[in-house]
Amino acid sequence: MATRGSRSEKVKRIFQQFDGNHDGGLNREEMAALVVAVNPRVKFSEEQINAILDEVFRTYSEFIDGEKGLTYEGLLRTYDDGAGDVDRDFDALGLELKPEDNAGTSIAAEEASSSSIADERVMEPHKKQRTAAWAASPNHGIVFDDTWKLVDDLEILIKRLKSKQSKDGKLKNDNFDVYSEGWSRELGPSTEITDKRVNWEETGHDYAVFVKELGVLRSRADGSRSREEAFDGHMAIGRVLYDQHLFKEALVSFKRACELQPADVRPHFRAGNCLYVLGRHSESKEEFLLALEAAEAGGSQWAYLLPQIHVNLGIALEGEGMVISACEHYREAAILCPTHFRALKLLGSALFGVGEYKAAVKALEEAIYMKSDYADAHCDLASALHAMGDDDNAIKEFQRAIDLKPGHVDALYNLGGLYMDMGRYQRASEMYTRVLSVWPNHWRAQLNKAVALLGAGETEEAKKALKEALKMTNRVELHDAVAHLKQLQKRKLKGNGGGNGEEAFIIVEPSKFKSVGEKTTLRADLSTALDIRSFQRITRLNRCDVDQIKKEMNETVVPMSYSGGVPEKSIRKASLEEILHRLLKFLKPETFIGAVKAINQKVLSVLDESESGRLDLGMFFAVLAPVCGGSPDKRKRVAYEALLWRPVNEGSNQIRKTDAQRYIKLLRAIYIPSQGASEMLEIHGEMDTSLVSLAEFTAMFDDPDWGFGIMSTLLKLETGDRNRHGSHVCATCRYPIIGSRFKEIKSHFSLCSQCYSEGKVPPTSKQEEYRFKEYASEAEAVKDKCMWFGIHSKSSSSPTAS
């Protein structure tokens, strides 16, 4: 068994170091000295020190002993609640545990004995000296003497199981040190999973025997003299099991404790932690909500645990992909405990996840201010800085994270991406190589390494890297990358640009691009439609039938608000996220997070221009409808019904013209920002009180110049942007053409949709004017070719005029 007293002994040594007058308490002067000493890199102002001390003495008032100040138990509690890092502070102070501090804290290695539990227990008499810090701390600890017997017997059972599984080679340790703590792994100091997670073999005979004997201990707890003692027993059993990573069994104990004392916060909190570690995020969230409800009902008794409940509830919500909702709980934790650096780090990471980079930077910098060696915070701060375009400082922060944790996969991988964006391909390749040294089967790192090598001009090495990536996964993008590499190789051999410093393409001004035939999409329209289609792909909204929006309008009860004197069905962003979660219920959590980020950046930023945090739900539904699944007529009808659903149109079967105009201009501002932003300035002051029918609304919607006529081009992309064109590759990017193929009539080269929309042409085909014909599929191209041959064969066989 691992030593159990070292944590509390370290806190005791820290306490003794600063208890200068040896009165058993840390007064404000002594506490100030401690804060400064454990943060040697931080220069605190007097105001900051006073603010920290005020918060500590207020939050832990039950541990303040008059003029003496904060007691040892109070200091221990601050560490339990995440206000500091015991190991870091202990090392920063240069303290050491004295030999006598560890007396009785370690247990000599013993072979598993076949004798009874009672006999083995006699060999370990000094139980309270070696017990984990939680057992001795008030509100978390063991109350009844008989519970100690249960704990001792349980530890013997665990030791016996560990010994047997180790001999059989069934016990495994997973090293989590290489991964970022990220959004979903942090459970805070009082519930933290160590970097070495034990994976128990749960299917064998030894484990079955262990569970049977554990059942006997649980029966003993149930047979206690009082309900309180039974609760104490099950909580202690659960904590020991949790500490040993026997999470399923720990959950059983905590659930039993919940039954015994439903109003107690602790068993719900512990059950939530177990469920989260087991990947049951929704159930975990429900337990944390019960813990939060009990804590708020219990008054000051549970005040110390409230910040951690909010943090863990936020983490559980993120496990479901609910990042905006998680932000609210991280903020609340940071308000309740301003020194909770993990809450601030998680808040910053979550804000970054939904695209609110400026706020993310602020929160992450505050976390680093409190804990300068926080590698994950440095990594996420770097990502936020990069997103804001501050690449120089981003590189410094990534490097700081790597210096603190050399095997930090996220920092290495993201720094590689940053170097790629900057065109520093050799450095990017080095970062991806380091990622692969830590995580050998990271196929994305392997693919990006190939792309980086290609950018650095090392084609042969790039080929090798791509082959390695293909061994890891069979994803279609890898096959496209291989085909792209082959095309580049052919091009290099022919000397057709892109090699030896020759430009790979030239960009032509829009006026020189002409379309042939009515079906050929204009370059500007395609550019806009591709942007909207990209938004659809990220959010998967086109997989959400527009009827689901109608269902939400019928079933969602939204309280009326009168901000600005106009009645609105407005809701907070967190509530809107819950609606999106129902609309996009088919998405995995990580994909849903990406969808929410895209919607927040593209849609909510326009709808909530004042940054009030509240949104007009009817208008939100209306702007979402055109990009959802369903026929064009159905999408327009639901958009109209969403506007009709708003309180300003309630009781009428038609909408006001001003609302329709505002909607169209919002739609254009969101999806066609290059044109729509300036139009938004024109809508103020319009007082047209006339009404608009569905037919009139549709005509406004379809107007190619002032409406959302781009929808016809979007529909074409939706139905055909996965079509492939045999062996045809784009003349500029050299990737296989997927979607429409744009063929230049004179020079006969073909472009993909992206290059056509950007005006890119091969440098060998310079012309005064370019005329393109669009082919949605190869069948259309073959048909066109046959017609051309038919016309020319007829003209050649006709008699010559005399």
Side-chain angles (χ1 to χ4, degrees):
M1 298 288 290
T3 61
R4 302 190 296 175
S6 58
R7 178 181 168 84
S8 58
E9 293 299 337
K10 283 183 177 181
V11 177
K12 186 178 290 185
R13 290 283 290 112
I14 293 171
F15 183 87
Q16 291 169 346
Q17 179 82 0
F18 290 91
D19 183 15
N21 55 12
H22 306 292
D23 63 351
L26 299 180
N27 57 34
R28 289 182 70 91
E29 186 179 336
E30 291 166 339
M31 273 298 295
L34 192 159
V35 171
V36 172
V38 298
N39 293 281
R41 297 186 187 88
V42 181
K43 293 188 182 298
F44 290 104
S45 67
E46 189 175 342
E47 290 79 7
Q48 288 171 327
I49 287 289
N50 285 330
I52 292 171
L53 295 183
D54 288 344
E55 182 60 32
V56 170
F57 278 69
R58 181 184 64 80
T59 304
Y60 300 96
S61 57
E62 62 186 294
F63 296 101
I64 303 300
D65 184 5
E67 294 297 319
K68 294 180 181 178
L70 187 71
T71 62
Y72 158 71
E73 290 77 12
L75 185 63
L76 181 62
R77 173 58 52 75
T78 67
Y79 282 111
D80 280 345
D81 292 349
D85 184 315
V86 177
D87 295 328
R88 188 203 67 158
D89 291 355
F90 194 79
D91 292 340
L93 295 169
L95 300 175
E96 292 182 7
L97 287 177
K98 300 173 184 176
E100 59 267 24
D101 290 336
N102 280 324
T105 62
S106 62
I107 305 168
E110 300 174 12
E111 291 189 10
S113 170
S114 59
S115 59
S116 68
I117 292 174
D119 290 337
E120 291 182 63
R121 191 169 61 235
V122 173
M123 300 171 69
E124 303 181 33
H126 305 294
K127 53 182 179 282
K128 293 191 181 182
Q129 284 185 311
R130 57 173 174 72
T131 300
W134 61 263
S137 74
N139 295 318
H140 275 296
I142 291 171
V143 179
F144 296 88
D145 285 340
D146 281 352
T147 302
W148 288 104
K149 297 174 185 176
L150 288 173
V151 167
D152 280 342
D153 288 352
L154 176 56
E155 289 185 339
I156 291 165
L157 291 179
I158 293 171
K159 189 193 300 183
R160 189 182 293 168
L161 176 65
K162 185 177 284 188
S163 176
K164 288 178 179 177
Q165 291 204 352
S166 296
K167 282 182 181 178
D168 297 339
K170 295 176 182 177
L171 196 63
K172 296 177 182 176
N173 288 300
D174 284 343
N175 188 357
F176 281 84
D177 190 52
V178 299
Y179 302 99
S180 166
E181 287 175 71
W183 299 337
S184 58
R185 287 188 60 247
E186 272 188 29
L187 289 174
S190 60
T191 58
E192 208 165 22
I193 308 302
T194 57
D195 286 339
K196 290 279 188 181
R197 175 169 171 178
V198 179
N199 283 329
W200 298 89
E201 172 55 56
E202 298 178 359
T203 57
H205 173 72
D206 294 335
Y207 195 84
V209 171
F210 167 75
V211 171
K212 186 178 179 181
E213 293 176 326
L214 178 58
V216 174
L217 293 184
R218 288 195 177 117
S219 297
R220 279 170 50 189
D222 281 330
S224 299
R225 286 163 291 188
S226 66
R227 198 176 187 85
E228 289 74 19
E229 188 171 344
F231 173 83
D232 192 47
H234 284 291
M235 283 298 293
I237 290 171
R239 288 298 299 268
V240 173
L241 291 167
Y242 185 92
D243 288 346
Q244 293 302 314
H245 299 178
L246 290 155
F247 301 115
K248 289 180 182 177
E249 302 307 326
L251 178 61
V252 174
S253 294
F254 293 135
K255 283 285 192 181
R256 177 64 183 132
C258 289
E259 292 170 5
L260 290 165
Q261 293 193 14
D264 196 299
V265 173
R266 293 165 295 168
H268 293 295
F269 181 68
R270 298 295 167 195
N273 292 339
C274 287
L275 287 162
Y276 181 84
V277 176
L278 293 169
R280 293 156 64 178
H281 299 145
S282 181
E283 295 172 78
S284 173
K285 177 191 72 177
E286 294 305 320
E287 286 294 340
F288 287 133
L289 285 170
L290 288 171
L292 185 60
E293 184 182 340
E296 289 175 341
S300 61
Q301 179 187 2
W302 304 111
Y304 74 94
L305 195 52
L306 264 175
Q308 202 58 39
I309 295 171
H310 280 290
V311 165
N312 289 17
L313 177 53
I315 292 169
L317 284 163
E318 286 203 60
E320 292 187 298
M322 305 288 283
V323 182
I324 294 176
S325 302
C327 284
E328 293 202 341
H329 291 285
Y330 297 144
R331 280 195 188 95
E332 191 62 30
I335 291 168
L336 291 169
C337 181
T339 56
H340 203 314
F341 53 82
R342 276 190 171 85
L344 287 164
K345 183 267 171 190
L346 288 165
L347 173 61
S349 300
L351 288 166
F352 171 75
V354 293
E356 297 186 11
Y357 303 128
K358 191 175 178 182
V361 166
K362 184 179 178 183
L364 289 164
E365 284 179 341
E366 285 186 37
I368 291 168
Y369 180 79
M370 293 181 193
K371 184 174 169 61
S372 59
D373 60 350
Y374 204 164
D376 283 353
H378 284 285
C379 177
D380 288 353
L381 175 59
S383 296
L385 290 168
H386 176 43
M388 293 174 69
D390 189 356
D391 290 344
D392 290 340
N393 282 320
I395 290 172
K396 291 175 185 175
E397 291 298 330
F398 276 134
Q399 198 56 60
R400 176 68 175 139
I402 295 164
D403 290 343
L404 290 165
K405 190 188 283 190
H408 200 301
V409 166
D410 288 352
L412 292 166
Y413 183 83
N414 292 338
L415 181 54
L418 173 49
Y419 282 138
M420 288 270 278
D421 291 345
M422 297 174 74
R424 296 172 63 180
Y425 299 112
Q426 197 62 51
R427 287 289 287 147
S429 170
E430 291 169 13
M431 291 302 112
Y432 293 127
T433 300
R434 288 182 66 178
V435 171
L436 292 163
S437 69
V438 181
W439 191 346
N441 61 343
H442 197 308
W443 71 266
R444 291 186 187 278
Q446 190 68 58
L447 174 60
N448 284 353
K449 179 182 176 181
V451 175
L453 288 167
L454 194 60
E458 299 180 27
T459 311
E460 289 304 315
E461 290 300 314
K463 276 185 181 178
K464 291 177 186 176
L466 265 180
K467 286 178 182 176
E468 288 299 316
L470 278 168
K471 291 177 186 176
M472 297 175 190
T473 183
N474 204 31
R475 295 173 71 98
V476 68
E477 54 257 55
L478 281 175
H479 293 281
D480 284 345
V482 171
H484 179 223
L485 193 60
K486 288 177 180 176
Q487 285 296 326
L488 286 174
Q489 195 69 0
K490 286 180 186 176
R491 191 176 185 181
K492 190 174 180 181
L493 292 171
K494 291 178 182 177
N496 187 25
N500 302 318
E502 189 178 348
E503 60 186 354
F505 58 83
I506 55 174
I507 295 178
V508 177
E509 62 183 75
S511 62
K512 291 187 177 183
F513 265 38
K514 307 293 182 183
S515 57
V516 176
E518 293 180 358
K519 291 185 177 180
T520 302
T521 308
L522 296 174
R523 173 177 154 185
D525 288 349
L526 182 61
S527 178
T528 300
L530 282 171
D531 185 57
I532 300 171
R533 185 72 180 123
S534 174
F535 175 71
Q536 279 184 319
R537 280 207 178 104
I538 294 168
T539 60
R540 279 43 169 207
L541 280 167
N542 57 305
R543 286 176 56 192
C544 168
D545 194 284
V546 75
D547 281 339
Q548 293 299 314
I549 287 182
K550 193 172 179 179
K551 183 183 177 187
E552 283 293 332
M553 286 191 289
N554 292 334
E555 296 178 0
T556 305
V557 178
V558 185
M560 205 79 72
S561 67
Y562 292 86
S563 56
V566 180
E568 273 188 354
K569 290 179 179 176
S570 70
I571 59 172
R572 292 165 27 256
K573 279 188 180 182
S575 301
L576 185 66
E577 186 182 44
E578 291 175 12
I579 292 172
L580 282 172
H581 201 251
R582 291 195 293 270
L583 291 174
L584 301 172
K585 59 187 176 186
F586 48 84
L587 294 184
K588 292 180 179 178
E590 59 271 21
T591 313
F592 180 72
I593 290 171
V596 170
K597 177 181 179 179
I599 291 168
N600 187 42
Q601 290 181 310
K602 196 173 189 72
V603 180
L604 305 190
S605 60
V606 176
L607 294 182
D608 184 27
E609 194 178 2
S610 64
E611 297 184 356
S612 66
R614 299 192 70 86
L615 296 129
D616 180 339
L617 186 57
M619 190 62 79
F620 175 75
F621 283 148
V623 297
L624 231 54
V627 295
C628 287
S631 68
D633 289 341
K634 192 194 287 186
R635 297 186 204 184
K636 295 169 198 173
R637 186 172 67 252
V638 171
Y640 183 80
E641 289 173 358
L643 295 173
L644 203 58
W645 182 71
R646 299 169 72 231
V648 289
N649 296 307
E650 202 165 13
S652 173
N653 58 0
Q654 293 185 331
I655 63 174
R656 296 188 307 179
K657 189 173 183 179
T658 51
D659 288 341
Q661 289 171 332
R662 177 170 176 76
Y663 165 68
I664 295 292
K665 289 178 179 179
L666 274 170
L667 203 61
R668 289 172 65 82
I670 290 167
Y671 297 116
I672 319 174
S674 58
Q675 300 171 30
S678 59
E679 294 167 11
M680 286 300 296
L681 300 174
E682 302 168 19
I683 65 174
H684 302 295
E686 296 179 9
M687 296 299 292
D688 191 339
T689 57
S690 60
L691 299 177
V692 173
S693 66
L694 175 59
E696 291 168 324
F697 171 79
T698 302
M700 292 173 67
F701 188 99
D702 290 337
D703 188 295
D705 297 319
W706 298 102
F708 200 64
I710 196 69
M711 192 173 186
S712 58
T713 307
L714 177 64
L715 291 167
K716 191 192 290 187
L717 289 178
E718 288 177 9
T719 55
D721 65 358
R722 292 188 180 275
N723 294 342
R724 289 179 175 257
H725 295 260
S727 59
H728 288 284
V729 296
C730 178
T732 58
C733 71
R734 310 306 296 175
Y735 270 102
I737 294 177
I738 305 171
S740 289
R741 174 164 73 95
F742 292 85
K743 182 180 178 182
E744 208 287 316
I745 299 302
K746 182 180 178 182
S747 298
H748 303 293
F749 64 83
S750 293
L751 297 179
C752 65
S753 295
Q754 193 64 46
C755 290
Y756 173 77
S757 71
E758 294 171 1
K760 294 177 180 177
V761 298
T764 53
S765 304
K766 292 181 180 178
Q767 298 168 200
E768 282 300 312
E769 185 179 271
Y770 297 85
R771 300 175 70 240
F772 288 94
K773 185 161 187 179
E774 179 180 358
Y775 295 108
S777 66
E778 206 48 34
E780 281 187 15
V782 171
K783 184 179 177 182
D784 195 45
K785 197 171 186 179
C786 291
M787 288 177 65
W788 186 87
F789 276 118
I791 292 168
H792 280 73
S793 60
K794 283 180 184 178
S795 61
S796 60
S797 61
S798 60
T800 308
S802 57

